[in-house]
Amino acid sequence: MKVLVVYNSVHHGNTEKIAKVIADELKAKMVKPTEGEVNRLSEYDLIGFGSGIYMSKHHESILQLVEKLPAVKDKKAFVFCTSGSSKNYNKPLKEKLTAKGFQVVGEFSCKGFDTYGPFKLIGGINKGRPNEEDCRKAQEFAHSFLK
Ligand SMILES: Cc1cc2nc3c(=O)[nH]c(=O)nc-3n(C[C@H](O)[C@H](O)[C@H](O)COP(=O)(O)O)c2cc1C
């Protein structure tokens, strides 16, 4: 199974940590949404899309990429994110992917270190996240695609 992980991680590299765990487990290539590889999605059996959450949404670069993609058929995808709060923010991205014809077969989220806005004044929240436990869960999540 050929897997591509498309990610962006602009705040503290939190989502990059998770993307790497998932990519390692699936022997997947990791790319940013601006890289040429995203034009060759047809070569992949499963594609992951993930980023941090900014103003309740995945990074604009991920959302715009999905928006611009041609419609696909019988293509599997999963989504992931890290965020300051434990709210589930994956729904809009999942819906965008589904609208393009993707079959969304999984989602992962965990908390990430957050120093945005007022949180900066208190040294940030979720220090050390994603932590070892988060990474173990991300690995487990990725492993489920190998079964
Ligand atoms: C501009 C900005 C807006 C954010 N908005 C939210 C938000 O709406 N909800 C939330 O839970 N976290 C929010 N966060 C926290 C990030 O989602 C969190 O720190 C995430 O782990 C960052 O991932 P990254 O290091 O991969 O960029 C925001 C962070 C920034 C910098």
Side-chain angles (χ1 to χ4, degrees):
M1 182 177 57
K2 218 175 151 191
V3 187
L4 183 70
V5 174
V6 186
Y7 78 101
N8 213 344
S9 183
V10 301
H11 191 32
H12 286 293
N14 298 333
T15 317
E16 182 165 52
K17 209 167 162 184
I18 294 299
K20 195 167 182 333
V21 169
I22 293 173
D24 281 355
E25 187 66 19
L26 296 172
K27 298 184 173 48
K29 193 173 174 120
M30 270 170 77
V31 294
K32 294 278 180 74
T34 47
E35 289 175 56
E37 199 67 23
V38 295
N39 297 318
R40 292 191 285 280
L41 295 191
S42 60
E43 291 174 18
Y44 294 89
D45 306 301
L46 175 65
I47 304 152
F49 296 89
S51 74
I53 295 299
Y54 320 94
M55 307 303 180
S56 303
K57 291 188 304 187
H58 278 81
H59 195 260
E60 209 46 47
S61 60
I62 297 285
L63 297 171
Q64 278 174 15
L65 168 74
V66 174
E67 201 105 314
K68 283 189 202 139
L69 287 179
V72 295
K73 212 172 168 237
D74 299 327
K75 186 68 74 188
K76 289 190 171 131
F78 63 87
V79 299
F80 61 101
C81 70
T82 67
S83 58
S85 86
S86 53
K87 197 178 151 199
N88 187 333
Y89 293 101
N90 281 323
K91 200 169 168 224
L93 178 57
K94 280 198 301 188
E95 283 174 352
K96 266 189 196 302
L97 286 164
T98 306
K100 284 285 166 173
F102 283 93
Q103 189 192 344
V104 182
V105 291
E107 64 176 296
F108 179 85
S109 61
C110 72
K111 285 190 177 178
F113 181 46
D114 181 7
T115 54
Y116 179 59
F119 295 132
K120 196 175 178 172
L121 302 173
I122 54 163
I125 55 168
N126 310 326
K127 278 183 203 147
R129 305 285 297 269
N131 57 19
E132 246 177 63
E133 175 73 358
D134 296 319
C135 291
R136 191 189 58 73
K137 284 183 182 159
Q139 186 186 9
E140 233 171 56
F141 166 74
H143 192 77
S144 69
F145 295 120
L146 300 174
K147 285 173 188 162

